[in-house]
Amino acid sequence: MTNYLLTLRYDGRNFCGYQIQLTANGEKRTVGGELKKAILSVFGTVEKLSGCSRTDSGVHSTGYCVSFSSDKQLPEEVVVKALNAKLPRDISVMSCRYVGDEFHARYSVVSKKYEYRIYSSPVRDPFKEGLWLHYPHKIDEYLLKKAAKDFIGTHDFRSFMASGSKITDTVRTVYDADFYSVGENEYIYSVSANGFLYNMVRIMVGTLLDIQSGKRSSDSIPSIIESKNRSFSGHTAPPDGLYLCEVRYDKF
């Protein structure tokens, strides 16, 4: 049995997230579902298929990781070519490598990095639709860069978790958080941590945009964290601009 690790890129606009979802009306279109079909077509069998995390409908990735096992061993470069020939155009396998039997795409994760892309313009850009968040007002880069730094550290991020989540351990360590310009009126909020709660990044972005709009003060993030109360943080930003862009493992 050979254990494989794949790194994917995908455009999430036409997917109901990564996780395979079966309903009374059939299977929803998911990244995991399309990938499983491609793997079965190439390998014949698949075991222990696991994504590095769940992602919501409309969320994208430039570095999503998946592990699986098969009794068929193919060269790594052959796996990439063969799977890409079977996958739809909105998913691509960027790399494949052999990993040890104990490796698991989700449970072996050391840290993840997300980016949230925002463009500031009075009018919408149809070429960014679903890929960037349109914010129709000016953005103060320095203001949000300074506020973003308040997320760094080990905190109980219960205030930044979607209501109704069943997770009980809400302490996470944020290693880095930044807000910066990448082009004319184009901005990225970047955050890396040892783990994320449900909708955590999107609520962080909503809180930063509430700071930008004046709904919350620029120094409010520490008190929001301290409150451990979802109603104290900002709105949940839409999935459009969210990308899982890097997953780190202790053995790579």
Side-chain angles (χ1 to χ4, degrees):
M1 192 69 70
T2 302
N3 206 19
Y4 296 89
L5 171 63
L6 306 176
T7 302
L8 315 177
R9 293 170 67 95
Y10 60 83
D11 176 345
R13 285 178 290 183
N14 294 315
F15 290 109
C16 297
Y18 171 81
Q19 196 75 12
I20 296 173
Q21 300 177 46
L22 301 176
T23 69
N25 298 320
E27 184 176 329
K28 293 184 177 181
R29 187 173 191 259
T30 63
V31 176
E34 295 291 345
L35 181 63
K36 184 176 182 179
K37 286 188 289 186
I39 292 173
L40 286 173
S41 178
V42 172
F43 287 88
T45 61
V46 60
E47 296 183 22
K48 299 189 293 184
L49 177 63
S50 175
C52 61
S53 69
R54 302 174 72 96
T55 56
D56 293 337
S57 297
V59 174
H60 319 288
S61 184
T62 57
Y64 193 92
C65 291
V66 174
S67 59
F68 72 94
S69 295
S70 176
D71 55 10
K72 182 185 291 186
Q73 183 169 357
L74 297 176
E76 295 160 326
E77 63 276 12
V78 170
V79 174
V80 173
K81 185 175 181 179
L83 289 178
N84 282 333
K86 302 292 184 180
L87 286 166
R89 293 179 65 84
D90 43 7
I91 310 176
S92 182
V93 176
M94 306 306 295
S95 68
C96 171
R97 67 183 77 176
Y98 304 132
V99 289
D101 293 341
E102 76 287 353
F103 182 89
H104 191 283
R106 180 179 177 187
Y107 298 124
S108 300
V109 170
V110 172
S111 68
K112 299 173 189 172
K113 179 180 177 182
Y114 281 90
E115 291 181 353
Y116 196 99
R117 303 178 183 182
I118 303 169
Y119 74 100
S120 168
S121 170
V123 296
R124 290 186 300 103
D125 181 346
F127 292 102
K128 288 186 169 70
E129 193 69 25
L131 298 172
W132 293 68
L133 174 67
H134 173 225
Y135 186 75
H137 310 290
K138 288 187 177 181
I139 286 179
D140 184 335
E141 179 185 350
Y142 176 76
L143 174 73
L144 298 192
K145 178 184 287 287
K146 186 172 182 294
K149 299 301 180 186
D150 287 332
F151 288 123
I152 297 174
T154 301
H155 308 290
D156 186 334
F157 282 99
R158 188 177 303 272
S159 298
F160 295 88
M161 180 177 69
S163 301
S165 175
K166 296 180 181 179
I167 294 174
T168 56
D169 180 8
T170 51
V171 174
R172 299 290 185 273
T173 299
V174 172
Y175 301 120
D176 189 41
D178 200 3
F179 190 95
Y180 53 92
S181 170
V182 292
E184 185 176 1
N185 298 322
E186 295 178 343
Y187 303 90
I188 287 179
Y189 169 61
S190 172
V191 57
S192 61
N194 65 349
F196 292 88
L197 304 172
Y198 184 48
N199 280 351
M200 180 171 160
V201 180
R202 292 167 60 186
I203 298 170
M204 286 174 157
V205 171
T207 303
L208 289 172
L209 293 179
D210 282 355
I211 289 172
Q212 175 61 59
S213 67
K215 292 180 181 178
R216 286 173 172 77
S217 65
S218 60
D219 60 352
S220 63
I221 289 174
S223 62
I224 294 172
I225 293 173
E226 185 65 26
S227 74
K228 302 176 187 176
N229 189 326
R230 172 66 185 92
S231 64
F232 280 52
S233 55
H235 67 280
T236 303
D240 304 23
L242 184 59
Y243 294 73
L244 173 59
C245 58
E246 185 177 60
V247 182
R248 289 185 177 274
Y249 297 99
D250 58 359
K251 296 184 179 181
F252 300 109

